[in-house]
């Protein structure tokens, strides 16, 4: 990325901006949701109140001296930012640290009855068990009769548009009249697809090639993770990859981000569903059991840093993969750098640092965007509604081979 002209780092210090609204509105809503999710005791409630006051009106504070990851966060910039307003530091950093402090407040890391309890689990499970999930799984029955190329295209678009199933995003997103999420079981061209490198995606994973390993860095649990797993099942079943590795967060993060427990919940949900979904679930369970599908995690997935700063062990793993798929908005921000790039900045330029072929599947929920065709960018700007960047009504498939 060093050869690419720079762009301003996104911060939340401008009232009315999208990053400002996340810190000023979404984060307080997240705290309220967490307070209501569990019968936390007085100590946890006081800590949540203190975090609410800190993140809206106060300054960034250091982690406790006995925090297990204090040294790691210092290496990630905590020492530099302690004492500064949450709104002054890079937005990616302040967002990430907010969720780390939220877990601190509810006792996630400390010995005691709340240690290891996911504060977002009730919302994740409610979504996974929702009627909407039932409808999406039922659509798999009709898909079984489609030719393999049509099934592949439908599952890719299901994984892409499933990214709208983001619980944190819903806390502050406003509905857009006339817009709806494309059905996850459709192969029709998705409206609002501002960049589509599907052909390049499939060229890296040709049929029956046993192309090697696919790495998928997951984003959200529930109704996004399910279509991600369905896509992986298809790739394994049709010999497009020999094995797959799903990378998840090491602890709960950004409300709905997937952890190992969420992967298991999703596979169980598939296996217990009627119709074709159950077959997908059984195959995924078997693939996990025999090592063709592996779940991994790494502390860096909760780091407030771009992928350009990834450690050597992750860099070596992604370099060896036939393709790494990065799901969702946060992974996109970390991939290209959380900067206000001119939208036509070439995607290949800002991802040149990545050690192997990479694909981004993302619905747009933040200001960061690269790789747009000038004509597409002009058409989007001509609508007069700059919310196309942040409303989740547009999406992209971008690939750097």
């Amino acid at each position: 990325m060093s050869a690419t002209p720079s762009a301003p780092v996104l911060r939340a210090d401008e009232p009315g901006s999208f990053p400002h609204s996340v810190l000023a509105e979404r984060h307080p809503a997240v705290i309220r949701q967490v307070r209501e999710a569990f019968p936390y005791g007085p100590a946890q409630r006081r800590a949540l109140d203190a975090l609410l006051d800190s993140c809206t009106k106060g300054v960034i504070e250091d982690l406790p001296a006995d925090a297990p990851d204090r040294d790691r966060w210092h290496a990630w910039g905590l020492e530099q930012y302690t004492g500064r307003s949450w709104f002054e530091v890079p937005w990616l950093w302040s967002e990430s640290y907010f969720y780390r402090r939220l877990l601190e407040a509810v006792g996630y890391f400390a010995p005691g009855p709340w240690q290891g309890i996911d504060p977002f689990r009730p919302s994740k499970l409610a979504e996974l068990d929702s009627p909407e999930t039932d409808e999406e799984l039922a659509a798999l029955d009709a898909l079984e009769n489609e030719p393999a190329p049509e099934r592949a295209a439908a599952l890719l678009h299901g994984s892409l548009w499933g990214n709208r199933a983001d619980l944190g995003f819903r806390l502050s997103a406003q509905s857009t009249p006339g817009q709806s999420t494309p059905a996850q079981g459709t192969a029709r061209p998705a409206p609002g697809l501002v960049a589509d490198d599907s052909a390049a995606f499939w060229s890296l994973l040709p049929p029956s090639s046993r192309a090697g390993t696919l790495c998928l860095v997951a984003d959200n649990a529930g109704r996004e993770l399910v279509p991600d797993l369905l896509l992986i099942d298809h790739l394994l079943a049709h010999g497009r990859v020999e094995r797959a590795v799903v990378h998840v967060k090491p602890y709960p993060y950004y409300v709905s981000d997937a952890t190992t427990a969420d992967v298991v919940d999703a596979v169980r949900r598939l296996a217990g569903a009627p119709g074709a979904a159950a077959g997908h679930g059984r195959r995924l369970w078997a693939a996990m059991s025999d090592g063709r599908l592996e779940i991994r995690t790494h502390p860096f997935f909760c780091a407030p840093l771009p992928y350009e700063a990834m450690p050597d062990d992750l860099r070596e793993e992604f370099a060896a993969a036939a393709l790494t798929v990065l799901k969702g908005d946060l992974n996109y921000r970390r991939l290209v750098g959380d900067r206000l790039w001119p939208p036509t900045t070439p995607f290949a330029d800002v991802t040149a640092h990545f050690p192997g072929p990479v694909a981004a599947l993302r619905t747009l929920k933040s200001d960061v965007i690269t790789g747009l065709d000038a004509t597409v960018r002009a058409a989007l700007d001509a609508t007069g509604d700059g919310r196309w960047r942040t409303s989740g009504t547009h999406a992209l498939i971008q690939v750097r081979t």
Side-chain angles (χ1 to χ4, degrees):
M1 193 178 295
S2 58
T4 303
S6 189
V9 174
L10 282 170
R11 302 178 189 274
D13 54 354
E14 182 180 344
S17 68
F18 185 73
H20 188 277
S21 72
V22 169
L23 266 64
E25 300 168 19
R26 184 185 299 181
H27 287 181
V30 170
I31 292 175
R32 289 192 295 271
Q33 179 191 23
V34 167
R35 284 177 64 96
E36 296 167 2
F38 288 99
Y40 290 118
Q44 287 79 26
R45 292 180 176 273
R46 284 193 299 270
L48 288 170
D49 290 341
L51 177 61
L52 176 61
D53 189 65
S54 170
C55 70
T56 54
K57 297 178 289 185
V59 298
I60 293 166
E61 299 175 5
D62 201 351
L63 289 171
D66 60 351
D69 54 352
R70 187 171 184 266
D71 289 345
R72 183 181 300 140
W73 273 94
H74 273 244
W76 290 343
L78 177 56
E79 195 167 14
Q80 174 186 354
Y81 295 136
T82 297
R84 296 178 61 180
S85 166
W86 292 79
F87 294 84
E88 292 177 352
V89 305
W91 181 40
L92 175 64
W93 199 96
S94 58
E95 268 200 296
S96 299
Y97 193 57
F98 166 79
Y99 285 99
R100 171 58 183 82
R101 292 311 303 251
L102 182 65
L103 293 181
E104 184 84 35
V106 298
Y108 182 87
F109 296 105
W114 296 107
Q115 186 177 34
I117 301 298
D118 183 348
F120 311 122
R121 186 164 174 77
S123 297
K124 292 176 177 178
L125 291 178
E127 182 189 81
L128 197 58
D129 293 334
S130 68
E132 291 83 0
T133 302
D134 290 333
E135 294 172 7
E136 289 159 2
L137 295 184
L140 292 171
D141 293 346
L143 198 60
E144 290 293 294
N145 299 320
E146 297 293 330
E150 282 72 14
R151 287 205 307 275
L155 292 170
L156 177 62
H157 279 268
S159 179
L160 169 66
W161 287 103
N163 182 231
R164 289 195 69 184
D166 179 338
L167 299 172
F169 175 69
R170 290 185 209 161
L171 289 172
S172 58
Q174 300 295 319
S175 62
T176 302
Q179 294 281 2
S180 61
T181 307
Q184 292 185 11
T186 176
R188 295 191 303 274
L193 197 58
V194 300
D196 185 4
D197 292 342
S198 298
F201 180 95
W202 294 117
S203 73
L204 292 166
L205 305 172
S208 303
S209 66
R210 299 291 176 187
T213 298
L214 172 83
C215 289
L216 186 145
V217 184
D219 188 34
N220 297 305
R223 287 175 60 210
E224 178 178 356
L225 185 59
V226 166
D228 292 344
L229 293 171
L230 293 172
L231 176 62
I232 286 173
D233 177 50
H234 179 87
L235 296 175
L236 288 170
H238 289 264
R240 288 182 177 265
V241 296
E242 186 173 5
R243 60 190 294 272
V245 179
V246 176
H247 292 269
V248 295
K249 301 297 191 296
Y251 50 76
Y253 195 62
Y254 277 67
V255 182
S256 56
D257 281 19
T259 64
T260 300
D262 299 316
V263 177
V264 176
D265 287 340
V267 176
R268 286 187 185 278
R269 178 71 165 91
L270 283 165
H280 290 282
R282 289 192 294 269
R283 287 194 298 271
L284 287 164
W285 192 279
M288 292 175 71
S289 300
D290 64 27
R292 288 177 296 123
L293 173 56
E294 185 176 350
I295 311 302
R296 291 188 192 170
T297 190
H298 194 288
F300 185 74
F301 290 128
C302 288
L305 304 173
Y307 277 107
E308 189 173 19
M310 78 176 81
D312 289 342
D313 56 344
L314 273 182
R315 184 171 295 277
E316 291 171 4
E317 181 167 357
F318 293 151
L323 176 64
T324 298
V325 178
L326 298 181
K327 284 297 309 292
D329 199 77
L330 177 60
N331 278 323
Y332 189 86
R333 290 165 56 192
R334 297 184 69 188
L335 175 64
V336 305
D338 203 32
R339 296 174 177 270
L340 199 59
W341 297 106
T344 54
T345 302
F347 179 73
D349 289 356
V350 294
T351 59
H353 64 87
F354 203 83
V358 62
L361 305 185
R362 172 222 186 187
T363 56
L364 278 57
K365 305 174 193 171
S366 69
D367 293 306
V368 180
I369 183 72
T370 68
L372 289 192
D373 178 85
T375 303
V376 172
R377 189 265 177 92
L380 290 166
D381 288 342
T383 65
D385 181 6
R387 290 184 65 248
W388 63 266
R389 291 175 179 255
T390 61
S391 63
T393 55
H394 295 76
L396 58 79
I397 301 171
Q398 291 178 324
V399 177
R400 197 219 69 215
T401 59

